[in-house]
Amino acid sequence: MTARESTPVSGSPERDATEAFDAAERAMWRGRSEAYAGSFARLCAYPVAALLDAAGVERGTRVLDVGTGTGTAAVAARARGARVSAVDADAGMVAAARARGIDARTAELPELPYPDGEFDAVVGNFFVLNHVGRPRASLAELRRLLRPGGRIAVTTWGARRGAGQDLLGRACEAGGAVPPPCLPRLDPAQDWPRTPEGLTQLLGGAGFVASEAAELAWEHRAGVEEWWSGAAGGVATIGLVVTSQDPRTVVRIRREYDRLSAEHAVAEGQLALPHIALLGSGRRP
């Protein structure tokens, strides 16, 4: 199966919904690279070592980092002696990765500008499967880029959530925020169960063998202002919710955030935020 073979029919409701999702995702991240680097980037860096281990990244490995963001996983792979390439859909993220010495290109799943079998390993740590409208076609494209026997490893948010993941969302709800109509909404036909079993099946359905997935749980430490700055800077879905509100509502959200964040305080101005994600891996036959 290739990405093109699984393309929704032109003009179909599924295609319209998928294109709308991808367009909303691109708009949501545009111009957010600095705000992301100063807030949620450290959170998303936590799974990198386990991700690279699962993909078998070591010295000499030809690795592609998909959805590289500011280049965190790519830099870590390079530190292992790997030969690293990277892509991201957002030009600002690509510029940030290039500034760290990464060979990064602007490109969007499910079609990437590399020949068949170009890489020994593909990793996607920017929780990339959460941000594409066609996850199955995207995985099929990543399979195409792997040599026979090459490995893939991806992280994604799952159905189970740590208490820290809901802090900003709870503040929005308590502050009376109204979700904007422009939030990315994945077509139900493209969705999949956000569990270890669901991710394992998703990888297997894309043609990977020896597929497996498990939960990663960790306690992210962040400053009160640091954690708020991501939402206030418009980063990710929660940022889109916050920045779409009128000024009075934003003030209420911030007040509720300060109140609720006390539940996670471990020191003056410091929070301990439990998070849970999924790590899945597989091999191209």
Side-chain angles (χ1 to χ4, degrees):
M1 180 179 71
T2 68
R4 293 176 179 82
E5 288 171 345
S6 60
T7 302
V9 176
S10 178
S12 69
E14 181 182 349
R15 183 183 180 93
D16 291 345
T18 297
E19 290 180 345
F21 179 90
D22 286 337
E25 281 284 346
R26 288 193 294 272
M28 182 172 67
W29 287 100
R30 191 174 301 125
R32 301 289 193 270
S33 59
E34 289 188 15
Y36 168 75
S39 57
F40 300 148
R42 286 199 309 108
L43 167 75
C44 295
Y46 178 86
V48 165
L51 184 85
L52 298 181
D53 288 345
V57 175
E58 58 188 12
R59 180 168 299 279
T61 303
R62 298 172 302 159
V63 59
L64 176 65
D65 179 23
V66 182
T68 191
T70 54
T72 301
V75 169
R78 184 181 61 191
R80 295 189 178 198
R83 297 155 55 192
V84 183
S85 300
V87 296
D88 198 279
D90 182 74
M93 295 290 188
V94 168
R98 286 177 176 170
R100 302 174 75 179
I102 298 301
D103 175 18
R105 304 186 192 183
T106 304
E108 299 173 11
L109 284 168
E111 295 183 9
L112 298 181
Y114 299 99
D116 295 0
E118 179 77 0
F119 299 100
D120 304 308
V122 171
V123 297
N125 183 62
F126 193 49
F127 297 88
V128 66
L129 291 182
N130 294 103
H131 302 296
V132 294
R134 295 162 56 197
R136 293 171 182 81
S138 297
L139 285 173
E141 173 72 346
L142 299 182
R143 178 182 180 274
R144 179 186 70 80
L145 300 181
L146 282 170
R147 63 164 175 81
R151 294 195 59 81
I152 186 172
V154 294
T155 50
T156 184
W157 298 118
R160 277 205 335 127
R161 299 169 60 83
Q165 286 167 269
D166 293 328
L167 172 58
L168 289 165
R170 290 173 62 203
C172 285
E173 183 176 359
V178 178
C182 56
L183 287 181
R185 302 182 190 281
L186 187 65
D187 188 281
Q190 294 289 342
D191 210 350
W192 51 278
R194 306 306 172 104
T195 63
E197 297 77 16
L199 181 53
T200 299
Q201 292 171 5
L202 188 69
L203 289 163
F208 294 101
V209 298
S211 300
E212 59 183 359
E215 288 184 340
L216 291 177
W218 71 102
E219 190 176 74
H220 178 60
R221 298 296 180 102
V224 172
E225 295 302 326
E226 173 193 352
W227 197 241
W228 171 253
S229 73
V235 179
T237 302
I238 192 66
L240 188 57
V241 172
V242 171
T243 57
S244 67
Q245 309 303 311
D246 62 78
R248 289 185 179 181
T249 303
V250 174
V251 170
R252 291 197 301 270
I253 294 170
R254 175 61 201 245
R255 184 170 61 242
E256 293 299 328
Y257 168 76
D258 289 337
R259 178 178 66 85
L260 293 168
S261 64
E263 300 173 7
H264 302 282
V266 290
E268 182 68 28
Q270 294 295 311
L271 305 175
L273 303 167
H275 279 71
I276 300 173
L278 301 176
L279 168 62
S281 62
R283 176 173 53 82
R284 178 176 178 173

